[in-house]
Amino acid sequence: MNTASPSPAATSPLPVCVLGLGLIGGSLVRDLREADRPVFGWNRSRSTVDAAAADGVDVSTDLVATLRRAAEQDALIVLGVPVPALPSLLDAVAEHAPDCGLTDVVSVKGDVLSLVTDHGLAARYVGGHPMAGTADSGWDATMCGLFRDAVWVVTHDNARDDPAWVSTWRQVVEMAEATGAVVVPARTAAHDSAVARISHLPHVVAEALSITADQGGALALSLAATSFRDGTRVAGTAPRLVQAMCENNRDALVTALNETLDLLTSARDALADPDGDLGQMTRDGHDARLRYEARAGRTREAPSNRPFIQVQPGAPGWVDQLHYAETVGAQIGVF
Amino acid sequence: MNTASPSPAATSPLPVCVLGLGLIGGSLVRDLREADRPVFGWNRSRSTVDAAAADGVDVSTDLVATLRRAAEQDALIVLGVPVPALPSLLDAVAEHAPDCGLTDVVSVKGDVLSLVTDHGLAARYVGGHPMAGTADSGWDATMCGLFRDAVWVVTHDNARDDPAWVSTWRQVVEMAEATGAVVVPARTAAHDSAVARISHLPHVVAEALSITADQGGALALSLAATSFRDGTRVAGTAPRLVQAMCENNRDALVTALNETLDLLTSARDALADPDGDLGQMTRDGHDARLRYEARAGRTREAPSNRPFIQVQPGAPGWVDQLHYAETVGAQIGVF
């Protein structure tokens, strides 16, 4: 799916500076090294830095020195820390590397965009969300190939003709493609609404299903089979992770929850009415699932199930192409 | 897990007569033949009977002749038809084989118990529910081994010291064990409440999740990953099957849905309140899922995760043992 791009960025890419070497940031560093891309990193924890250095990574605990190096080399800075750690990190970026391209790997984009804007860093910011596993954490959990065939959402809220922003957008897309991810463009609000529906909502619902079954006592748990097993799998995720991602996307998740509550309330009312039936709901749900399945063949081997759009960054109308791609959920390639 | 039973029933078992050769009834016939147990069957459809006969099954389209044979041989009759077909089938059983042991393989037990009682057949009725796949149907979908390691719920609402009832209960348990299933005893109301929570509720919720994601449009479906895939898997089940099983268990499902609605409403309210949090819910859901996982090792290789109780049918206090097993969700063996 990667095009053999003739652009200078691809043949001699600028370095990437990853701030925070958790599961996502650390795995990104591993993939970029594997792809022979220049990359260096920072982490607050000495033990993480020692572990990463032992694996051959160019890494430091000195944030100021790392950011000055990024500024000198015009590196693309990747914010790889949780949302609560972002304000102080952005303070440092604004002070020591304000002109670098900036992206992030945080799963909700609204808060990040606000913080970046508040820090005066929006002019070269392109948000990112690699949709890959988050259950484990720390350097030991990092791996090559974590993002292969996963969707990497790249935002374009600040899309402008400014060559520096266009260049950053291209760098972010090429970095994502270097990891084997599939790039889908979306603006912040559309992204946050979509992930509320397809990720945060399923997590909240899995918690409710687990609790309801448990309230049925030992017999219910003994009888639970595959429908329960799969429907509650993500309730096995660490509670603090589920809590954090849901609470960071409150507005969009409330909207999605209200729609689900309406559907389940209607189902309850239909069942409580001897003449009520679930015909429409079961047909609608089945149709919706089929539409997802038709789209879900998202690997390189079966790319045709999702629309694919070629984009030339900076060309006339290219931002309209991104908007269109967002509307139809297309993946993109750059040339 | 099967005990090498010294009882006459095990060494020279009475025949089983299966009425209805769909996925469940047909697969049961195959398993009993494989276990060298005497078995014969009936199906309304000539094409099904021809297909089964071609596979060597002793089968007929003549219901009256089949029931007279069952009466002559004191066979255990298995009701293997959907609930709407039960009344006319029970009319025929009451007329031609009223003294045979009687069981069924229907997924909701309340309606069956009522119908059996209305037909004056409760004295030798022991309900059954093999919790195995139902997505495909017809003789072509039948297979040996469908029930291996699955739970087969056996009811005991009519438990009495009458030797005929005790004998039927033992026959049903031994038949289930002959298929490799794990037997869990439960009375009708407890069974129907439990399956509402762990099967019917997850199906309704999966429909609602699918529809909510679909309402997010193409982008949401493009971003959907494993949490959505697993949380909505059973929305891929044929709508009429989901509708039928939910509508056959209305009261219990309404109770379960109300509990889930309360939980999701609380979550929605917490998210809509800037000071609200999902801490308690995510911890409770995680704890509940861990309790399920601790119990889920239900194969012969790891039987210890579910309590196991040996029962001697007809011995003093044995019905109390069944009630206790129901309460703790235990699997049982007979000796």
Side-chain angles (χ1 to χ4, degrees), chain B residues 36 147 160 328:
Chain B
D36 285 327
F147 311 110
R160 57 193 76 187
V328 300

Side-chain angles (χ1 to χ4, degrees), chain B residues 171-250:
Chain B
Q171 275 179 280
V172 172
V173 169
E174 289 178 347
M175 178 183 74
E177 289 183 343
T179 70
V182 163
V183 173
V184 173
R187 281 164 291 187
T188 293
H191 168 276
D192 288 357
S193 168
V195 296
R197 291 171 189 274
I198 55 84
S199 173
H200 305 161
L201 178 67
H203 277 82
V204 172
V205 164
E207 309 287 6
L209 275 181
S210 292
I211 295 169
T212 305
D214 198 39
Q215 288 172 174
L219 181 64
L221 295 184
S222 266
L223 300 190
T226 54
S227 63
F228 179 79
R229 180 195 67 199
D230 291 352
T232 62
R233 181 182 61 79
V234 292
T237 309
R240 62 180 176 78
L241 293 179
V242 177
Q243 183 183 359
M245 72 184 187
C246 292
E247 292 176 6
N248 283 328
N249 198 17
R250 287 175 185 263

Side-chain angles (χ1 to χ4, degrees), chain A residues 131 151 153 184-186 190-191 194-195 197-199 201-205 207-216 218-239 242-243 246-247 250 253-254 256-261 263-265 267-268 270-279 281-286 288-289 291-293 295 298 306 326-330, chain B residues 131 151 153 184-186 190-191 194-195 197-199 201-205 207-216 218-239 242-243 246-247 250 253-254 256-261 263-265 267-268 270-279 281-286 288-289 291-293 295 298 306 326-330:
Chain A
M131 302 187 66
V151 168
V153 176
V184 173
H191 167 276
V195 296
R197 291 171 191 273
I198 54 85
S199 173
L201 177 68
H203 277 83
V204 172
V205 164
E207 310 287 7
L209 275 180
S210 292
I211 295 168
T212 305
D214 198 40
Q215 288 171 175
L219 180 65
L221 294 184
S222 267
L223 300 191
T226 53
S227 64
F228 179 79
R229 180 196 68 198
D230 291 352
T232 63
R233 182 182 60 80
V234 294
T237 309
V242 178
Q243 184 182 357
C246 292
E247 293 176 5
R250 288 175 185 262
L253 184 49
V254 164
L257 263 170
N258 278 332
E259 292 180 21
T260 297
L261 282 166
L263 290 161
L264 293 179
T265 301
R268 190 269 319 273
L271 290 163
D273 173 357
D275 295 325
D277 73 80
L278 297 185
M281 183 201 205
T282 53
R283 288 190 297 274
D284 288 349
H286 187 249
R289 170 74 190 187
R291 278 191 282 276
Y292 157 73
E293 290 176 1
R295 184 157 287 234
R298 60 173 46 139
R306 184 191 288 122
E326 172 192 295
T327 305
V328 299
Chain B
M131 302 186 67
V151 168
V153 176
V184 173
H191 168 276
V195 296
R197 291 171 189 274
I198 55 84
S199 173
L201 178 67
H203 277 82
V204 172
V205 164
E207 309 287 6
L209 275 181
S210 292
I211 295 169
T212 305
D214 198 39
Q215 288 172 174
L219 181 64
L221 295 184
S222 266
L223 300 190
T226 54
S227 63
F228 179 79
R229 180 195 67 199
D230 291 352
T232 62
R233 181 182 61 79
V234 292
T237 309
V242 177
Q243 183 183 359
C246 292
E247 292 176 6
R250 287 175 185 263
L253 184 49
V254 164
L257 262 170
N258 278 333
E259 292 180 22
T260 298
L261 282 167
L263 290 161
L264 293 179
T265 301
R268 190 268 320 270
L271 289 163
D273 173 357
D275 295 327
D277 73 80
L278 296 185
M281 183 201 207
T282 54
R283 287 191 296 274
D284 289 348
H286 188 249
R289 169 74 191 186
R291 279 191 282 275
Y292 157 73
E293 289 176 3
R295 183 157 286 235
R298 60 173 48 138
R306 182 192 288 122
E326 170 191 296
T327 305
V328 300

